[in-house]
């Protein structure tokens, strides 16, 4: 099936995926790990393991991080 | 370079102070440029992380709504900010591991002393520091 995928902040493209593809497969098809993004349908996240049943989706790159973990030296 | 209006800069510091020992976060809006961006507006976004003292994770629905609002208003998303209530003043390895918006500014306001706001552009393989200024 063909799905119109907008990567928020980047471009919109049409992607062909298998009939049994999941939203995680769709994220990978546009170059992102499912852990890096939320696939959004009508403004809400959809479970990554759910089969694709929307003709248009938005892939939102997640914004997260924090002060935990080893720290780097100040970047240049 | 990442420049801020005085109001936008102060809004981040106030937001950070209000968060106490929790990290807070939000979206930077204004005029985007690959080498130089100007921030005129700051939009807080809910920190949905399980451990907000040391992590932040913007709520996806709220983040998308803010991005749409910024773009509908004819402005650009310039980048994002979050706080480090107890430092460090620079990105942690967690920040590096989670960064996804190539070419955008990630500003960090640290509060382990006098508030200090630094900014870095995510270049895919790492963060590149950029000068921060207050203008206009």
């Amino acid at each position: 099936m063909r799905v119109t995928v907008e990567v928020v902040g980047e471009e919109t493209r049409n992607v062909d995926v298998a009939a049994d593809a999941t939203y995680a497969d769709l994220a990978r098809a546009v170059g992102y790990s499912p852990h890096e993004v939320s696939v959004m349908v009508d403004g809400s996240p959809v479970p990554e393991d759910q089969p694709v049943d929307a003709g248009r989706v938005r892939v939102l790159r997640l914004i997260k991080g924090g002060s935990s973990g080893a720290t780097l030296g100040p970047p240049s | 370079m990442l420049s801020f209006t005085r109001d936008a800069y102060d809004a981040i510091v106030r937001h950070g102070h209000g968060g106490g020992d929790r990290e807070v976060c939000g979206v930077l809006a204004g005029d985007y440029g690959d080498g130089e961006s100007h921030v005129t507006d700051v939009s807080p976004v809910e920190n949905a992380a399980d451990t907000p003292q040391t992590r932040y994770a913007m709520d996806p629905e709220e983040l998308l709504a803010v991005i749409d609002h910024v773009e509908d208003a004819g402005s650009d998303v310039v980048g994002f900010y979050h706080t480090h209530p107890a430092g460090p003043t620079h990105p942690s390895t967690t920040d590096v591991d989670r960064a996804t918006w190539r070419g955008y500014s990630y500003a960090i306001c640290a509060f382990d002393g006098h508030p200090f706001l630094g900014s870095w552009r995510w270049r895919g393989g790492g963060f590149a520091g950029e000068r921060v200024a207050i203008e206009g």
Side-chain angles (χ1 to χ4, degrees), chain A residues 8-9 32 36 38 40 43-45 58 60-76, chain B residues 23 54-58 60-61 64 68 80 84 87-88 90-96 98 100-101 104 120 129:
Chain A
V8 178
Y32 290 97
E36 294 179 303
S38 275
M40 315 288 284
S44 298
R58 304 177 78 187
L60 178 67
R61 290 169 286 168
L62 298 174
I63 303 297
K64 54 186 179 179
S67 56
S68 65
T71 60
L72 304 169
S76 59
Chain B
E23 297 193 11
T54 56
R55 292 286 181 100
Y56 80 100
M58 293 194 194
E61 286 186 71
L64 185 61
D68 285 346
F80 311 94
H84 287 175
H90 48 78
S92 68
T93 53
T94 304
D95 292 325
V96 173
R98 305 291 193 275
T100 51
W101 283 64
Y104 286 80
W120 294 262

Side-chain angles (χ1 to χ4, degrees), chain A residues 42-65:
Chain A
D42 296 330
S44 298
V46 290
E48 65 185 47
D49 58 353
Q50 182 175 309
V52 176
D53 62 357
R56 181 181 180 85
V57 307
R58 304 177 78 187
V59 171
L60 178 67
R61 290 169 286 168
L62 298 174
I63 303 297
K64 54 186 179 179

